[in-house]
């Protein structure tokens, strides 16, 4: 796999975008809409049942043309081909990046090191479906013969955020007779609260860890085993009925004591944050059943195909990635607010935080140089309308511009009274208010006293995207997640960084391992940190009577 010795900021399209930005940066969305009454219809795209209105962005047709040129000059087409072709585009870990193979239909072909991996993917999916059906039907029983009623996923990062998000998002489709819990934090409270009202004889733990060495997950898994064995008089035979594993590391799974017959495999070409549709999705399949799970995968696949084949200007992930680059790199914005007007997507922003920031929060290019431009903005958000009564003040009248992604659905899964029309009215109103604001003249014409006028003026010109689909289904969730996965990929290609490694999480892990014995030793440790860390360790030891 070749590296890409290019300097983004030297590309002709980048230079043109800089000049273009200087020319249009002060244009107001009010002017853009006034000049072109068809803007709202024109600047919209529909693919795979997902409608994107991008007209409320601070762009002209020329901006889009130049951004598409930037994608072309960044070799997006060949990099995309390389990913789908199973090339080792994760350079620093020398790995292929083939999460798209996880949702490929039976009979498709994705090749890694000369081997078509799709049959392996489907073999694991079949094994997951067999297991899920047994648990869901009550055929799989616990140590004492009781059916499983509680499923606890133990994992962190990509082995938690995707499963939690998908469970919450698809709760409407889930088996309501089962209880699902997710334990991630090494803080013992997370585990204790998750199991405090559960009956061990009806509880199944899924230990989800790509590496099966992650400190938090292994600590929680050992506590879970102790909790279970405590209930069964230390009878180790109970483990096989109450623990299954999802991992790439069969050796470590066996070492923990889980029968590898009850291990669901995935592969090193699946990154943690791209793994919710691998066996890491076992809890999702247990919740919604294999058929709905297949529909989720089909949604992912449909978006993959759209991304792979649609021309850049009509390609949802490409266009959204380019718009994010326009703001981050030319307007200098620092964050993106993701605002789902759908309660079931309440964990979607948290899920996106790992996907976007662990992937693209990097200052070194693939060929080892320090970038001279910004990379990932901070992604954050809350479901509407709660955010409106919290941080939207800053979105409307703060000093920073924060581009927003609104996500909404025409139909509610819980159609009750007037709620849904009110919800959607709020989503559309917020995007309108952000874009057009309220002028001084409008405020004055309402008879507002002079001293109050500045406080009641909304400058507007705050950009947003509106994503609108008919209904939140498993298929549509797959499309949405794949959409953002590919946005992240396109951003990484243009920023010329490795979106698939995560070296930035290593240092803290190593330092924590060094500090553990310094906190726990009987004798005062010989501390050789900085004076701040030394003091904190000593104070902790004193507070704990050590
Ligand atoms: O935070 C670092 C990381 O490696 C993530 O990329 C990953 O999702 C998480 O830890 C969990 O890793 P594992 O699945 O190996 O336990």
């Amino acid at each position: 796999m070749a590296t890409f010795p290019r300097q983004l900021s030297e590309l002709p399209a980048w230079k043109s975008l800089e000049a273009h930005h200087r020319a249009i940066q002060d244009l107001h969305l009010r002017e853009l809409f006034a000049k072109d009454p068809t803007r709202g219809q024109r600047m919209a795209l529909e693919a795979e049942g997902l409608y994107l209105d991008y007209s409320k962005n601070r762009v002209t047709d020329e901006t889009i043309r130049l951004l598409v040129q930037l994608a072309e000059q960044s070799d997006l087409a060949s990099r995309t081909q390389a990913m789908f072709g199973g090339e080792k585009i994760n350079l620093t870990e020398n790995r292929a990046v083939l999460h798209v193979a996880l949702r490929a239909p039976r009979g498709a072909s994705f090749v890694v090191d000369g081997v078509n991996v799709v049959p392996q993917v489907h073999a694991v999916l079949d094994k997951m479906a067999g297991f899920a059906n047994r648990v869901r039907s009550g055929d799989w029983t616990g140590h004492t013969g009781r059916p499983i009623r509680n499923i606890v996923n133990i994992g962190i990062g990509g082995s938690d955020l995707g499963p939690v998000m998908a469970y919450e998002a698809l709760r409407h489709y889930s088996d309501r007779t089962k209880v699902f819990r997710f334990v991630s934090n090494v803080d013992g409270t997370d585990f204790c609260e998750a199991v405090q009202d559960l009956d061990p004889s009806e509880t199944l733990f899924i230990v989800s860890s790509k590496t099966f060495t992650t400190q938090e997950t292994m600590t929680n898994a050992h506590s879970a085993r102790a909790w279970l064995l405590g209930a069964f008089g230390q009878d180790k035979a109970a483990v096989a009925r109450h623990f299954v594993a999802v991992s790439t590391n069969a050796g470590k799974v066996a070492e923990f004591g889980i029968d590898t017959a009850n291990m669901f495999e995935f592969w090193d070409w699946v990154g943690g944050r791209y793994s919710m549709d691998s066996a890491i999705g076992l809890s999702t399949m247990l919740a919604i059943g294999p058929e709905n799970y297949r529909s989720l995968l089909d949604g992912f696949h449909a978006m993959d195909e759209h991304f792979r084949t649609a021309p850049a200007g009509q390609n949802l992930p490409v266009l959204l990635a380019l718009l994010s680059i326009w703001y981050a790199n030319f307007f200098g914005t620092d964050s993106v607010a993701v605002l789902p007007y759908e309660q079931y997507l309440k964990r979607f922003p948290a899920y996106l935080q790992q996907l976007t920031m662990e992937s693209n929060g990097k200052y070194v290019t693939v060929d080892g140089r320090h970038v001279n431009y910004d990379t990932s903005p901070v992604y954050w958000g809350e479901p509407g309308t709660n955010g409106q009564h919290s941080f939207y003040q800053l979105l409307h009248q703060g000093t920073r511009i924060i581009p927003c992604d609104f996500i909404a659905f025409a139909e509610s899964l819980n159609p009750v009274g007037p709620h849904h029309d009110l919800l959607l009215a709020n989503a559309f109103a917020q995007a309108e208010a952000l874009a057009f604001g309220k002028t001084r003249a409008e405020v004055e014409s309402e008879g507002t006293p002079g001293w109050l006028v500045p406080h009641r003026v909304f400058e507007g010109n705050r950009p947003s995207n509106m994503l609108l689909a008919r209904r939140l289904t498993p298929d549509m969730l797959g499309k949405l997640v794949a959409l953002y996965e590919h946005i992240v990929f396109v951003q990484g290609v243009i920023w010329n960084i490795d979106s698939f490694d995560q070296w930035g999480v290593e240092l803290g892990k190593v330092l924590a391992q060094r500090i553990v014995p310094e906190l726990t030793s009987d004798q005062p440790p010989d501390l050789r940190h900085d004076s701040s860390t030394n003091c904190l360790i000593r104070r902790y030891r004193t507070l704990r009577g050590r």
Side-chain angles (χ1 to χ4, degrees):
M1 176 78 199
T3 55
F4 300 87
R6 63 172 168 84
Q7 207 34 292
L8 174 60
S9 48
E10 298 305 319
L11 292 179
W14 186 273
K15 299 256 177 237
S16 306
L17 279 162
E18 282 176 331
H20 175 68
H21 177 255
R22 281 193 292 276
I24 74 148
Q25 61 182 325
D26 295 325
L27 261 184
H28 199 290
L29 282 164
R30 281 189 216 118
E31 287 169 70
L32 290 168
F33 272 85
K35 263 196 232 144
D36 175 7
T38 65
R39 184 179 169 95
Q41 291 99 283
R42 267 189 340 99
M43 291 197 159
L45 248 186
E46 186 157 16
E48 302 304 332
L50 201 50
Y51 177 81
L52 166 68
D53 173 0
Y54 64 96
S55 62
K56 294 192 185 84
N57 281 291
R58 292 169 67 170
V59 295
T60 64
D61 292 339
E62 177 65 358
T63 322
I64 301 296
R65 196 182 67 76
L66 291 173
L67 286 168
V68 167
Q69 267 184 16
L70 181 68
E72 286 162 5
Q73 290 172 15
S74 304
D75 301 319
L76 177 62
S78 63
R79 298 289 299 275
T80 304
Q81 225 176 350
M83 176 171 75
F84 279 83
E87 286 184 40
K88 299 200 169 156
I89 62 167
N90 177 355
L91 293 175
T92 69
E93 295 179 329
N94 192 31
R95 286 177 182 164
V97 174
L98 219 47
H99 43 278
V100 291
L102 297 171
R103 48 265 195 154
R106 229 180 264 278
S109 173
F110 282 96
V111 177
V112 181
D113 290 331
V115 176
N116 177 13
V117 296
V118 176
Q120 302 170 36
V121 167
H122 280 269
V124 173
L125 282 170
D126 291 344
K127 183 173 169 183
M128 288 165 66
F131 178 70
N133 284 334
R134 286 187 70 194
V135 173
R136 284 166 64 87
S137 68
D139 180 36
W140 176 285
T141 52
H143 188 53
T144 60
R146 303 273 293 271
I148 297 298
R149 289 193 51 238
N150 315 309
I151 289 132
V152 182
N153 186 74
I154 299 178
I156 197 164
S159 301
D160 168 71
L161 290 160
V164 177
M165 182 278 289
Y167 170 67
E168 292 295 344
L170 300 177
R171 215 174 175 149
H172 178 78
Y173 304 89
S174 70
D175 176 352
R176 304 293 184 135
T177 66
K178 305 255 182 286
V179 172
F180 287 82
R181 301 266 164 86
F182 299 85
V183 177
S184 53
N185 199 335
V186 77
D187 184 336
T189 298
D190 203 9
F191 173 73
C192 290
E193 283 293 336
V195 298
Q196 58 90 21
D197 56 347
L198 302 186
D199 177 347
S201 66
E202 298 179 338
T203 300
L204 175 77
F205 291 99
I206 306 174
V207 185
S208 297
S209 174
K210 182 174 169 180
T211 53
F212 231 73
T213 56
T214 304
Q215 185 200 49
E216 293 89 337
T217 300
M218 296 328 294
T219 306
N220 279 317
H222 280 102
S223 297
R225 191 170 57 178
W227 177 79
L228 187 91
L229 292 182
F232 292 127
Q234 304 305 320
D235 182 356
K236 289 205 176 70
V239 172
R241 304 302 303 170
H242 293 269
F243 277 84
V244 297
V246 178
S247 187
T248 59
N249 192 342
K252 289 279 174 198
V253 169
E255 210 176 281
F256 179 85
I258 296 176
D259 184 350
T260 47
N262 298 329
M263 168 179 150
F264 300 86
E265 188 193 4
F266 65 117
W267 306 272
D268 75 354
W269 41 265
V270 183
R273 54 197 174 272
Y274 298 86
S275 68
M276 62 166 274
D277 51 339
S278 70
I280 289 290
L282 183 61
S283 60
T284 314
M285 193 191 269
L286 283 161
I288 64 173
E291 272 180 35
N292 278 324
Y293 195 78
R294 184 64 243 172
S295 163
L296 172 76
L297 298 184
D298 290 343
F300 272 99
H301 180 67
M303 186 55 70
D304 294 342
E305 284 303 284
H306 165 73
F307 172 58
R308 194 176 62 80
T309 57
Q314 271 110 56
N315 191 308
L316 285 174
V318 174
L319 193 62
L320 285 168
L322 291 171
L323 287 167
S324 70
I325 283 168
W326 175 236
Y327 293 116
N329 295 114
F330 298 91
F331 281 87
T333 58
D334 291 330
S335 83
V336 175
V338 181
L339 308 167
Y341 277 66
E342 169 55 72
Q343 184 65 18
Y344 284 123
L345 289 184
K346 67 181 182 192
R347 295 288 293 169
F348 195 62
Y351 166 75
L352 280 189
Q353 289 189 325
Q354 187 198 16
L355 181 67
T356 56
M357 297 195 273
E358 194 166 84
S359 296
N360 286 338
K362 291 165 189 169
Y363 54 67
V364 175
T365 63
V366 283
D367 38 0
R369 288 170 295 167
H370 205 294
V371 295
N372 61 354
Y373 42 83
D374 279 323
T375 59
S376 184
V378 172
Y379 280 76
W380 59 285
E382 278 289 322
T385 57
N386 298 12
Q388 291 175 207
H389 296 272
S390 160
F391 53 78
Y392 276 44
Q393 165 65 39
L394 183 148
L395 299 183
H396 287 287
Q397 289 187 318
T399 53
R400 297 161 200 280
I401 293 176
I402 300 183
C404 300
D405 284 357
F406 290 92
I407 303 171
F409 299 88
E411 291 174 11
S412 171
L413 294 169
N414 295 290
V416 47
H419 289 251
H420 202 66
D421 293 333
L422 292 177
L423 178 71
L424 270 280
N426 273 282
F428 298 155
Q430 290 299 328
E432 187 179 22
L434 287 165
F436 302 105
K438 193 168 182 182
T439 62
R440 170 168 279 274
E442 285 167 336
V443 176
E444 283 170 349
S445 73
E446 289 170 350
T448 309
W451 64 269
L452 195 53
V453 170
H455 300 277
R456 301 199 58 177
V457 168
F458 288 66
E459 288 171 356
N461 220 11
R462 314 266 160 149
S464 69
N465 293 302
M466 177 72 66
L467 283 160
L468 182 64
R470 177 177 291 282
R471 194 180 163 86
L472 178 57
T473 57
D475 169 79
M476 188 46 72
L477 181 70
K479 286 171 181 166
L480 259 183
V481 175
L483 171 71
Y484 278 93
E485 285 179 347
H486 297 315
I487 290 172
V488 167
F489 173 77
V490 176
Q491 290 173 333
V493 168
I494 291 175
W495 288 324
N496 202 22
I497 55 182
D498 187 336
S499 301
F500 303 102
D501 61 15
Q502 56 284 315
W503 299 108
V505 299
E506 292 304 317
L507 179 60
K509 281 190 202 171
V510 172
L511 293 182
Q513 292 293 6
R514 180 177 152 200
I515 291 175
V516 171
E518 295 171 344
L519 297 184
T520 55
S521 65
D522 293 336
Q523 294 308 311
D526 177 18
L527 296 177
R528 287 158 192 253
H529 303 271
D530 57 278
S531 58
S532 159
T533 310
N534 287 346
C535 262
L536 289 167
I537 292 171
R538 286 197 194 98
R539 181 156 288 258
Y540 175 82
R541 288 181 60 89
T542 307
L543 288 168
R544 296 297 306 269
R546 292 175 187 154

